[in-house]
Amino acid sequence: MSTVHATAALLPDPALLRAHLRALAVLDAAIGDDPRFVLYRFDAAWGPGEEAALMDNGSGDDFSVLFTPAGVLIRGFDHESPMSPYGNDEEQVWPGVIDDVPAALRPLLDEPAFHDEGIDAPRITACLWQEAGDTVWHTGPSIEFPAGSEDPDGSGHLFGLLTDRSPEAVRAHFEDYYERPVPLDAIRHVLAGRPLTPEIARALNPAALSDEALLGRIAANPEVDSYLACDGEFDLTRTNPIESIVLVTTAARTVPDGFLPHVPDEEDAAFEPMLEPSAG
């Protein structure tokens, strides 16, 4: 049986987990053709001193990993789990899942993004945590998992790329999701924390740096369109540009997350710049 107890034994320390989740977000943004449909995201400004790694498969399953000064909280929700709050008449979290979450981290469960309208319980079937200064991942010790399921809390498929972090597993996931080959060397490059150069970006998605791809990213971010129209006399309605579209790489620091495959972080030079300038 796959449960949070098995997941806890396979997770790396918070620093390594954070780096891996950032790499997954970079890979998803680089491989995907439309930023609206990526599964993995990383928000370096989730809250004061807080960062969030998010996964949403668009089919009702999601997870969040919140990195805070008080520690790290992992929340997962499998909509088909028999442990879902929607699966019982009381519409409450399954007994034992969050009962032992320490007081320092418990307010994170009240985040509005993790609550659905009309139900007085967080959207959660699996929970793990590690307080600052601790070296062990914790879960509810008294959870009685329902019988008849090999993955009762959904942790097996929700956290698969967090427990098996190998380049081969990551490539298999993205090839299955995007239904096209992805070079293993490029996957290894990003997972190692190296910069996402134009060469690696093209290897991950040959069309990623095309005019059409850039226009698509601008169209998906109205604030970027507004910024370019103001400072760059850019007009998204023009369909017959005279010259190829070129954005200088320093623009990555002035546009919102999601426009370019860029996860900004002043502390982690290994990811900067995410796009290096081409020669000339």
Side-chain angles (χ1 to χ4, degrees):
M1 179 184 291
S2 177
T3 69
V4 285
H5 297 324
T7 298
L10 297 171
L11 288 177
D13 67 67
L16 290 177
L17 180 63
R18 175 180 175 274
H20 182 69
L21 285 161
R22 284 162 49 80
L24 291 179
V26 170
L27 283 167
D28 211 348
I31 297 170
D33 295 315
D34 192 325
R36 295 173 299 175
F37 301 120
V38 300
L39 274 68
Y40 291 89
R41 302 177 186 272
F42 195 95
D43 189 338
W46 180 258
E50 298 177 351
E51 299 177 319
L54 308 169
M55 189 286 296
D56 188 334
N57 68 5
S59 299
D61 305 326
D62 67 277
F63 75 64
S64 60
V65 184
L66 303 181
F67 297 90
T68 78
V72 183
L73 180 79
I74 302 176
R75 176 208 59 88
F77 178 71
D78 174 6
H79 78 288
E80 293 185 344
S81 166
M83 297 170 60
S84 168
Y86 292 99
N88 58 77
D89 294 337
E90 294 79 17
E91 293 188 334
Q92 295 298 312
V93 176
W94 189 268
V97 171
I98 61 174
D99 297 354
D100 295 278
V101 173
L105 297 175
R106 198 167 187 86
L108 299 174
L109 295 171
D110 297 328
E111 167 62 48
F114 308 145
H115 287 251
D116 291 332
E117 186 176 353
I119 182 171
D120 188 27
R123 192 174 62 254
I124 186 170
T125 58
C127 186
L128 305 96
W129 61 88
Q130 185 173 143
E131 288 189 271
D134 198 352
T135 58
V136 177
W137 288 103
H138 298 274
T139 67
S142 60
I143 305 172
E144 293 186 9
F145 297 99
S149 173
E150 289 300 312
D151 191 13
D153 59 7
S155 57
H157 79 271
L158 286 172
F159 307 130
L161 289 188
L162 308 189
T163 55
D164 184 354
R165 300 174 298 281
S166 67
E168 292 77 11
V170 172
R171 178 177 68 169
H173 161 77
F174 284 116
E175 287 188 338
D176 178 68
Y177 183 67
Y178 288 109
E179 298 183 337
R180 55 183 169 80
V182 180
L184 186 58
D185 286 346
I187 294 287
R188 288 194 177 109
H189 179 99
V190 176
L191 289 179
R194 301 190 183 101
L196 185 65
T197 64
E199 291 73 25
I200 294 297
R202 291 189 186 93
L204 291 169
N205 184 351
L209 302 182
S210 67
D211 288 357
E212 291 76 15
L214 288 173
L215 285 171
R217 291 182 183 277
I218 293 170
N221 291 271
E223 58 272 40
V224 176
D225 181 22
S226 176
Y227 168 82
L228 292 174
C230 178
D231 291 352
E233 299 182 0
F234 184 85
D235 185 357
L236 191 61
T237 63
R238 290 182 57 192
T239 58
N240 60 336
I242 299 173
E243 300 176 346
S244 296
I245 301 168
V246 178
L247 295 179
V248 296
T249 57
T250 52
R253 293 187 179 278
T254 60
V255 299
D257 294 346
F259 172 62
L260 292 174
H262 175 230
V263 182
D265 185 351
E266 294 295 335
E267 299 177 357
D268 192 348
F271 280 84
E272 297 184 357
M274 298 311 298
L275 285 177
E276 292 185 341
S278 299

